[in-house]
Amino acid sequence: MTALSPDEIERYARHIVLREVGGPGQVRLKAARVLVIGAGGLGAPLIQYLAAAGIGTIGLVDDDTVSLSNLQRQVIHGTPDLGRPKVESAAEAIARLNPNVRVETHALRLNPENAEGLIAGYDLVADGSDNFATRYAVSDACYRAGRPLVTAALGQFDGSLTTIRAHETGADGRPNPTYRCLFPSPPPAGSVPTCAEAGVLGALAGLMGSLMALEVIRAVAGFGEPLVGRLLMVDARSLRFETLSYAWDPGNPLSGTDR
């Protein structure tokens, strides 16, 4: 692994003095390659905190451009960025924040055909996409490529977060659950309103994206208990946090007994 430069030692000093991170953990962050799906509401704070933390390489996947209605929550972009590709705007924001971070932009929409090849080039994936088709394509590809996945979702006043390590087994010797063990199939088309239709609380996106960054940093630096088999649910109305446990389903189509 590449050693930290004097500039990096000063930049990450508040991490390095943490016993759980230290110099070795910061070096692991520097060596990591993390792919972020979506540079929107969840991706904006996620990308900023990953860059500030010193993740060595951040891949950005988004095929959208910045619009005025994005700016209520997508804080990595600004008014001068209107009309620009989100990956381009986000990459410039990362460069301003931490020039030590390498950025790889992918101005495309992930689908079952291209997901696995792209994901295989990274150590870990953080999915902040806003549609079920992408979430299933990403989670299936992470399983096949053997990559950990941190995935979150937003509602109007609620959010959820979990970590999927379906390519590994748990302490009990059983396979870890897949995304399809938690959500076997997407809801019927049109049954869940889009963000544009239903709205979303801007600061909630900031909270959930920051929690995603924390989960990624913990996984890379190697401390804490990941949210494997646990779904963290946040209610912004009451500011209540609850955790739901879930397990491997032998009937799931990826790692089930009948596949």
Side-chain angles (χ1 to χ4, degrees):
M1 291 187 181
T2 305
L4 300 173
S5 68
D7 172 80
E8 289 172 315
I9 292 173
E10 181 177 357
R11 178 183 288 269
Y12 308 127
R14 301 303 186 270
H15 269 178
I16 293 170
V17 298
L18 293 172
R19 182 178 63 183
E20 290 81 358
V21 181
Q26 192 62 53
V27 169
R28 286 192 289 272
L29 292 170
K30 180 178 180 178
R33 293 176 52 82
V34 175
L35 182 66
V36 176
I37 313 298
L42 291 168
L46 166 64
I47 292 164
Q48 289 172 307
Y49 274 107
L50 293 183
I55 294 293
T57 302
I58 299 176
L60 304 176
V61 178
D62 202 304
D63 67 342
D64 199 7
T65 57
V66 180
S67 65
L68 190 58
S69 63
N70 297 151
L71 302 185
Q72 161 256 13
R73 65 202 176 281
Q74 300 181 18
V75 294
I76 201 167
H77 313 295
T79 303
D81 298 313
L82 294 176
R84 298 181 67 197
K86 288 183 180 178
V87 292
E88 181 181 304
S89 172
E92 288 191 6
I94 292 172
R96 291 193 300 270
L97 178 60
N98 190 349
N100 298 303
V101 175
R102 179 183 177 188
V103 181
E104 297 173 350
T105 59
H106 308 279
L108 52 82
R109 179 173 290 268
L110 277 189
N111 56 51
E113 287 69 44
N114 63 20
E116 188 174 344
L118 182 56
I119 285 168
Y122 292 86
D123 304 317
L124 183 148
V125 178
D127 182 15
S129 60
D130 62 357
N131 65 89
F132 288 100
T134 300
R135 289 176 197 154
Y136 281 91
V138 170
S139 61
D140 290 354
C142 283
Y143 170 74
R144 296 190 178 100
R147 297 294 187 270
L149 169 65
V150 174
T151 181
L154 283 175
Q156 293 173 297
F157 294 96
D158 61 274
S160 62
L161 169 67
T162 191
T163 289
I164 308 290
R165 303 184 75 99
H167 57 292
E168 299 174 350
T169 56
D172 59 0
R174 289 164 60 87
N176 284 331
T178 70
Y179 186 78
R180 291 181 182 272
C181 297
L182 180 59
F183 301 112
S185 59
S191 63
V192 178
T194 66
C195 174
E197 295 167 338
V200 62
L201 189 65
L204 175 62
L207 172 62
M208 298 308 302
S210 297
L211 288 172
M212 290 182 74
L214 178 57
E215 189 73 350
V216 171
I217 291 166
R218 294 196 309 153
V220 174
F223 69 92
E225 180 185 356
L227 287 170
V228 175
R230 297 186 294 144
L231 180 70
L232 176 66
M233 298 176 291
V234 179
D235 182 344
R237 289 188 178 92
S238 61
L239 206 55
R240 185 173 65 240
F241 291 67
E242 296 181 358
T243 304
L244 168 72
S245 295
Y246 63 98
W248 173 66
D249 176 8
N252 85 80
L254 291 176
S255 62
T257 55
D258 296 330
R259 69 187 191 280

